[in-house]
Amino acid sequence: MNSNEKMAELLLPEIDITPDYYEKKYKPRSLPEGARVTRIAPSPTGYLHLGTLFAALVNRITATSTGGVFYTRIEDTDKKREIEGGIADIIDGLNRFGITIDEGFTAADKEEGNYGPYKQSLRAEIYQTYAKDLIKKGLAYPCFCTAEELDSVRKIQEEKKIRTGYHGEWAMHRDISFEDAKALIDEGKPYVVRLKSPGNEENKIVFDDCIKGKIEMPENDEDFVILKSDGIPTYHFAHAIDDHLMRTTHVLRGDEWISSVPKHIQLFKLLGFKPPKYGHISPIMKLDNGAKRKISKRKDPEAAVHFFAEQGYDSESVIEYLMTIAASDFEDWRRANPDKSYKDFKFNLKKMSVSGALFDSDKLNDVSKTCISRLSGGEVYEKLTAWAKEFDEDFYKILTEKPDYTKAVLSIDRDVPKPRKDIAKWSEAKDYFSYFFEPLYNNDFVLPENIDPADAKAFLTKYKNVYNESDDRQQWFDRIKAIAPEIGFAAETKQYKAEPDKYKGHAGDLSTVLRIAVTGRRNTPDLCSIMQVLGHDRCISRIESAINTL
Ligand code: GLU
């Protein structure tokens, strides 16, 4: 045994297999040419963040567009920061948003696929096997520096204006002998395992980022940690091993990792792996007093995906909106293909924003209104009641008391060539539909200023006598027009416009009076349909109340 081999035995005696075992176990995937294998690797340290959902969408659609595979891996090596239910929140959240997971954690308690375990805390032996191999080859070594020692080195480097870090002559244990290491271990000194970097700061590495294009950076010369003192890997090391063994082709991750690429490429090379393609996703931005900044977990409620559920944004609308910010050519495609699923869109990473797409809630609302306008009354019923059940129990009871009636309410002006685009989120529905439900209905009969209450009263009194609930739209309006001249209003708008002094107003004004009498609103969807759904008795009683109140 040479001294490197002795060192490897000293540090990791319990590891008795070689990387070869895993190389054979996790075979290259047999996928069609060009198929991309992507993943997200969340840490269960918090709720599902908008950035994670966005990254998941980008990875999912990249795999879908190429006939590849999208999987999840749980990066739970930081046990101190892990929160209970963190995995469930993330995975259930992705499922709720329709991001299908082919492999890995497909549900909070369900792992699928041949490349597992998909949770890093269950992979310690795999990382240690590769670390042992690097030590054997003289490419990694134990470092016994304490936090205080590293700190004082940093201070000296800062004073001398030298780049800080564990590199070159500052890498104190780089050449530690087997005997010295053994003596320190026998004393019970804790240690980490560091990579013995062959890099030189003067050299440049160039890589082609799938999103940001060509990037040039200095080669890594830092002897960074690969195994922490408890034998658990750092992100860098776990990333290289996992993405190699899980046969990831494209690592599409947040751009906070871009500065680590030189470390990662070096690791892949030293481990004898082919590096994946990298694509770094810019963060979602927000305008704050005119300045662009990253969306923040602390400042912005919409940073937590739960916010969208609570507000009652339909998950499909949120995804549709995220697609518009993921790809600059998505909206054109959508205009040309209004009825297709976003999954049919040919996604190209080069169409992603390099500087960070702006989150715009007005745009989200617009996209959402369009999505909801495409739903049938029955679909709206399902989605609205599901939301209300979770977030507004009183409303849920009201909506589900007479399902057929509620469906009729929700079907007004839907399934027509130009459906109304009025609701962006389910939390708006209670107010929007309030006049259909007695417990929510409240009318103070406020008329527009141009209408004299006496005329309104006279009109409603006449109308009440001729109202027929089986009228179609034309007959319905003809009755209003027939009354108009009797009380000094023009039957046609154009008559009124030609001679405004001759009339008090026109039939349209009278339909507004009727609208206010029956719904309390000046604007509603088609009033004839509303009156049909409300039914004869309720319309008459509301008209009577208006006559008595005005
Ligand atoms: N756990 C890392 C993170 O949450 C994953 C980054 C990656 O996708 O490789 O930032």
Side-chain angles (χ1 to χ4, degrees):
M1 253 204 251
N2 68 26
S3 59
N4 289 333
E5 288 165 347
K6 283 202 290 189
M7 185 77 95
E9 276 321 310
L10 172 69
L11 302 185
L12 293 158
E14 62 289 356
I15 298 295
D16 55 5
I17 42 176
T18 60
D20 209 36
Y21 169 80
Y22 295 112
E23 298 298 329
K24 288 204 181 100
K25 179 169 177 190
Y26 303 112
K27 301 216 172 21
R29 295 169 186 265
S30 51
L31 287 169
E33 174 93 17
R36 295 178 173 183
V37 179
T38 62
R39 87 298 187 271
I40 56 156
S43 304
T45 52
Y47 49 66
L48 178 60
H49 187 251
L50 188 62
T52 309
L53 178 63
F54 188 57
L57 176 64
V58 168
N59 277 283
R60 170 71 270 179
I61 193 90
T62 297
T64 304
S65 292
T66 57
V69 173
F70 166 68
Y71 73 89
T72 56
R73 177 171 74 231
I74 304 297
E75 302 209 337
D76 61 340
T77 53
D78 190 351
K79 287 289 173 199
K80 283 201 286 294
R81 288 181 53 223
E82 187 164 333
I83 60 160
E84 213 188 308
I87 298 178
D89 193 65
I90 295 168
I91 303 296
D92 294 349
L94 296 180
N95 285 328
R96 193 202 278 243
F97 280 89
I99 307 275
T100 40
I101 302 166
D102 301 324
E103 192 182 301
F105 276 78
T106 53
D109 49 5
K110 191 166 170 213
E111 254 189 285
E112 288 180 78
N114 299 326
Y115 293 84
Y118 293 88
K119 201 193 231 183
Q120 288 184 333
S121 58
L122 303 176
R123 300 172 64 80
E125 226 177 83
I126 304 179
Y127 307 122
Q128 290 169 8
T129 302
Y130 282 87
K132 187 167 185 179
D133 195 54
L134 288 178
I135 301 164
K136 261 192 213 162
K137 292 175 174 153
L139 294 171
Y141 62 89
C143 163
F144 295 85
C145 284
T146 62
E148 294 72 37
E149 280 168 327
L150 293 174
D151 220 41
S152 65
V153 168
R154 182 175 316 113
K155 282 199 186 111
I156 300 169
Q157 289 172 325
E158 277 166 0
E159 274 163 26
K160 294 191 169 178
K161 304 222 179 326
I162 291 173
R163 186 164 46 92
T164 56
Y166 204 89
H167 53 79
E169 59 182 295
W170 304 94
M172 267 168 297
H173 293 102
R174 192 175 164 95
D175 296 313
I176 191 167
S177 66
F178 167 75
E179 289 72 23
D180 289 349
K182 181 161 183 348
L184 290 167
I185 288 173
D186 288 346
E187 276 174 43
K189 286 257 157 50
Y191 64 89
V192 298
V193 177
R194 288 181 183 271
L195 188 77
K196 196 168 194 172
S197 169
N200 180 344
E201 232 257 320
E202 309 279 296
N203 298 340
K204 297 272 181 267
I205 66 143
V206 181
F207 75 99
D208 196 9
D209 190 280
C210 311
I211 297 167
K212 302 201 188 235
K214 225 176 209 121
I215 296 180
E216 197 181 89
M217 278 193 265
E219 207 170 75
N220 173 64
D221 67 349
E222 190 171 320
D223 286 359
F224 60 90
V225 176
I226 56 173
L227 289 185
K228 296 184 251 186
S229 55
D230 52 5
I232 296 298
T234 54
Y235 167 74
H236 306 307
F237 196 53
H239 152 53
I241 306 290
D242 291 346
D243 282 310
H244 166 68
L245 290 179
M246 296 180 182
R247 311 292 174 182
T248 310
T249 64
H250 287 66
V251 170
L252 310 172
R253 60 184 176 189
D255 72 359
E256 67 274 23
W257 293 111
I258 208 158
S259 59
S260 303
V261 171
K263 288 191 175 85
H264 298 162
I265 290 184
Q266 187 172 64
L267 256 181
F268 274 84
K269 287 206 176 125
L270 293 177
L271 287 160
F273 304 159
K274 178 175 181 250
K277 292 253 183 300
Y278 287 102
H280 289 90
I281 304 172
S282 306
I284 296 177
M285 311 291 278
K286 233 192 126 152
L287 266 191
D288 191 353
N289 284 324
K292 236 173 142 183
R293 64 160 171 80
K294 278 189 202 179
I295 214 161
S296 135
K297 290 186 204 181
R298 271 178 307 111
K299 293 188 205 153
D300 307 310
E302 63 272 40
V305 167
H306 195 66
F307 166 85
F308 298 97
E310 215 171 81
Q311 289 282 306
Y313 281 103
D314 195 39
S315 53
E316 281 163 42
S317 309
V318 176
I319 292 297
E320 180 81 8
Y321 172 66
L322 290 180
M323 283 303 295
T324 69
I325 61 173
S328 55
D329 52 346
F330 180 75
E331 283 182 84
D332 284 344
W333 177 86
R334 173 52 83 211
R335 270 188 284 277
N337 301 283
D339 300 321
K340 283 197 175 159
S341 160
Y342 76 92
K343 293 175 186 169
D344 296 328
F345 172 68
K346 279 279 166 237
F347 182 64
N348 176 354
L349 289 165
K350 286 274 185 281
K351 299 283 184 194
M352 285 196 79
S353 163
V354 171
S355 59
L358 208 53
F359 182 87
D360 174 353
S361 40
D362 293 340
K363 184 71 193 285
L364 167 65
N365 287 340
D366 278 355
V367 168
S368 185
K369 282 178 186 173
T370 305
C371 288
I372 292 178
S373 76
R374 293 204 190 103
L375 302 176
S376 68
E379 286 167 328
V380 172
Y381 179 81
E382 291 307 322
K383 287 173 185 274
L384 173 60
T385 51
W387 172 82
K389 190 172 187 181
E390 197 171 344
F391 297 104
D392 189 342
E393 224 175 297
D394 289 344
F395 191 32
Y396 176 75
K397 280 193 198 122
I398 293 170
L399 288 169
T400 52
E401 201 184 310
K402 291 188 204 130
D404 288 339
Y405 171 72
T406 304
K407 281 180 199 166
V409 167
L410 301 175
S411 298
I412 293 174
D413 276 1
R414 281 187 195 284
D415 301 319
V416 291
K418 270 200 154 186
R420 282 180 75 89
K421 293 186 182 175
D422 39 16
I423 296 174
K425 46 187 176 179
W426 305 127
S427 55
E428 294 169 352
K430 194 176 192 173
D431 179 55
Y432 188 75
F433 293 112
S434 61
Y435 54 84
F436 283 107
F437 301 100
E438 294 316 313
L440 306 174
Y441 176 65
N442 149 28
N443 194 341
D444 45 15
F445 305 109
V446 179
L447 293 170
E449 272 170 18
N450 63 332
I451 293 175
D452 183 334
D455 291 332
K457 226 167 155 158
F459 163 68
L460 291 171
T461 309
K462 283 177 183 286
Y463 182 82
K464 197 187 111 184
N465 297 326
V466 294
Y467 164 57
N468 182 339
E469 73 167 329
S470 46
D471 281 352
D472 64 18
R473 279 189 195 196
Q474 192 55 52
Q475 293 161 331
W476 175 89
F477 196 46
D478 284 346
R479 287 193 201 279
I480 297 174
K481 289 207 279 196
I483 299 171
E486 296 174 23
I487 55 170
F489 282 66
E492 304 293 338
T493 314
K494 54 178 188 296
Q495 287 174 332
Y496 172 74
K497 284 200 173 141
E499 294 174 281
D501 296 339
K502 212 173 134 187
Y503 302 102
K504 295 177 179 169
H506 55 77
D509 295 322
L510 297 176
S511 68
T512 301
V513 171
L514 183 57
R515 195 181 305 277
I516 290 171
V518 174
T519 69
R521 308 279 169 96
R522 288 185 198 184
N523 290 304
T524 65
D526 176 55
L527 184 57
C528 171
S529 312
I530 291 173
M531 291 176 70
Q532 280 166 358
V533 171
L534 283 171
H536 176 270
D537 295 355
R538 280 207 285 171
C539 288
I540 291 294
S541 111
R542 289 184 183 190
I543 292 169
E544 280 170 353
S545 309
I547 294 170
N548 294 335
T549 315
L550 286 167

